[in-house]
DNA sequence: ACCTGAACACCGTTCAAGT
DNA sequence: ACCTGAACACCGTTCAAGT
């Protein structure tokens, strides 16, 4: 509304700003936080160098002082997401617990940042924050009696499932509803899902989409997936 | 080199074209094929309405006659990829074989179109071609004695792993090498991988990256992953 | 030397002008 | 009525001009 800000910048900018501490000196961390914030609120497509700049009240070119280019920026966001996976050191050295922790941690990140999922899956370069987490899991599984190749397969399996299980879902595009224990479709959600599919989709296939991508998966549901993988791993170990 | 084409279009355009049958009447299928071709050869970022248009020797706006907008185009490419998963009807009704077939089919698509991986994982809407494949797997697994929820979890697990197992890898960014059975790093590939990681990555973490994302995975390696999931599923069934 | 922002070569899509 | 392509509102990034 007010046009007063249009004048040449003054020191006041350092502490003002409607939505908080906008005028702070820019650093890499604040840059990545803002980027992630934009992704969370408006989707990956809205993540634009120019948009970040206006969000930070900064010249677009200033961003390039903290990040080589847009690809590096996206890598930075991914790095930041992985760093959320293991906020505390692990308490247990039991391999099953460590795998569950890894799976749940990764999946929690996906649930907290649903729009960032594709980002996590499209950048093959593993940031250091990911390698630290994976190294621990790898070491614990190896110590439990698996070969290095087996351990790698198991850890990769848990990570893959945690990452793309949520990517396969449409949960966040459907209206949120209180969980319906019966497993029967909530009518309103079913309508929304139907509208997401091609209009000529036959009813039995709509039903398949509902079954494969149920909205609002309970934690136990994902627990079942983790149990399955851990049980499979143990079975293959006992066989050798 | 020759500037002769610059004149007003003639009927000749319908059959000429340096690289083949460029002047054909455009239809949705040819459009999607060309789009996938561009993705395969130059990556997702190169997939541009304007680039497709020049590739097809067509006005950019003509594309919008076959596809609502760019998002719909991407959905179309994903639909086409899923339709490659099950080229023949299944011979077996045995649930383990069907799950393996699903996993391998999906993974083969990923291997054939490595750059398209992120695309498959970023479009939550499941195209009809995917639902058909998933429905069959779902039905067979249900008939094998699993509840619908269990069947859904198992099918989703296989799909997730097949999809993002390859997405986690960097294979296609490393120089291709004959497979090295020892599992020890090929020096040239190791150097390439190291350069992909942040320059200050400590050696033990480079090693983790190598272990988690080994280049040129053998088929047996993925077979181990599938066996693991199937064994886990059976274990959980026997328990109930 | 550092920082800025005008300018460039794109992009997806609208829409008015042609047939 | 259908088709076309000029024009619009963006985008990432370069680079010359400022301090």
């Amino acid at each position: 509304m007010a046009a007063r800000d249009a004048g040449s910048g003054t020191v006041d900018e350092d502490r003002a700003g409607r939505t908080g501490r906008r005028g702070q000196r820019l650093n890499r961390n604040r840059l990545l936080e803002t980027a992630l914030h934009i992704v969370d609120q408006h989707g990956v497509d809205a993540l634009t160098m120019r948009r970040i700049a206006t969000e930070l009240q900064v010249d677009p070119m200033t961003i390039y002082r903290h990040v080589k280019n847009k690809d590096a920026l996206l890598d930075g966001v991914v790095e930041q997401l992985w760093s959320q996976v293991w906020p505390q050191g692990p308490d247990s050295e039991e391999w099953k617990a460590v795998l569950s922790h890894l799976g749940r941690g990764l999946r929690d990140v996906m649930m907290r940042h649903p729009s960032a999922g594709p980002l996590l899956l499209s950048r093959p370069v593993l940031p250091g924050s990911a390698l630290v987490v994976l190294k621990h899991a790898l070491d614990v599984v190896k110590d439990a009696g698996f070969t290095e190749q087996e351990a790698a397969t198991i850890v990769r399996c848990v990570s893959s499932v945690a990452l793309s299980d949520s990517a396969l879902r449409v949960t966040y595009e459907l209206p949120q509803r209180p969980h319906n224990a019966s497993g029967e479709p909530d009518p309103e959600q079913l309508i929304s899902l139907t509208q997401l599919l091609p209009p000529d989709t036959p009813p039995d296939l709509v039903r398949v989409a509902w079954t494969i991508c149920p909205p609002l998966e309970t934690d136990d549901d994902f627990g079942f997936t983790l149990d399955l993988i851990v049980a499979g791993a143990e079975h293959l170990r006992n066989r050798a």
Side-chain angles (χ1 to χ4, degrees), chain A:
Chain A
M1 306 298 185
R4 302 178 62 233
D5 287 348
S8 62
T10 68
V11 190
D12 280 343
E13 290 184 354
D14 280 344
R15 36 167 71 182
R18 272 197 311 281
T19 48
R21 57 217 206 294
R22 287 282 187 74
Q24 273 184 1
R25 186 124 179 70
L26 183 58
N27 57 32
R28 189 180 141 95
N29 232 324
R30 206 158 80 91
L31 172 62
L32 296 181
E33 268 171 27
T34 308
L36 181 54
H37 193 243
I38 292 175
V39 171
D40 284 341
Q41 296 214 301
H42 305 99
V44 202
D45 290 344
L47 186 58
T48 275
M49 298 304 249
R50 288 168 133 104
R51 174 147 193 178
I52 302 172
T54 64
E55 192 90 11
L56 288 165
Q57 292 187 336
V58 131
D59 183 274
M61 283 313 103
T62 308
I63 296 177
Y64 287 83
R65 297 199 53 66
H66 301 90
V67 117
K68 193 192 158 204
N69 53 24
K70 193 178 179 184
D71 266 0
L73 177 96
L74 297 180
D75 284 337
V77 172
V78 170
E79 175 194 339
Q80 190 157 284
L81 287 170
W82 270 99
S83 77
Q84 292 179 23
V85 171
W86 215 313
Q88 320 285 5
D91 288 350
S92 165
E93 297 288 315
E94 218 276 302
W95 67 281
K96 295 183 183 181
V98 170
L99 285 178
S100 286
H101 185 87
L102 170 63
R104 284 197 188 281
L106 251 181
R107 194 175 127 101
D108 286 349
V109 172
M110 295 290 277
M111 294 279 114
R112 245 182 344 254
H113 306 278
S115 312
L119 226 58
L120 265 173
L121 284 159
S122 63
R123 316 250 107 208
V125 181
L126 298 169
S129 48
L131 294 177
V132 171
V133 177
L134 294 174
K135 178 180 168 33
H136 179 75
L138 217 44
D139 287 343
V140 171
V141 174
K142 262 192 297 189
D143 286 348
F146 292 93
T147 70
E148 180 163 59
Q149 256 207 21
E150 288 169 342
T153 303
I154 293 168
V155 169
R156 198 166 50 230
C157 187
V158 169
S159 311
S160 300
V161 165
L163 283 172
S164 73
D165 182 274
S166 31
L168 273 185
R169 294 162 172 289
V170 292
T171 300
Y172 46 91
E173 309 218 27
L174 296 182
Q176 293 280 339
R177 301 298 252 169
H179 183 60
N180 180 346
S182 74
E184 279 311 298
D186 171 272
E188 193 172 327
Q189 288 183 328
L190 188 55
I191 290 171
S192 301
L193 175 62
T194 307
Q195 288 168 343
L196 287 175
L197 297 172
D200 55 345
T201 308
D204 60 329
L205 291 188
V206 175
R207 176 72 200 227
V208 170
W210 177 269
T211 307
I212 293 288
C213 311
L216 252 188
E217 183 187 47
T218 66
D219 274 346
D220 290 350
D221 209 352
F222 185 63
F224 181 71
T225 302
L226 284 177
D227 288 349
L228 189 154
I229 294 173
V230 169
E234 182 145 54
H235 175 263
L236 289 183
R237 179 175 63 160
N238 293 339
R239 206 169 64 178

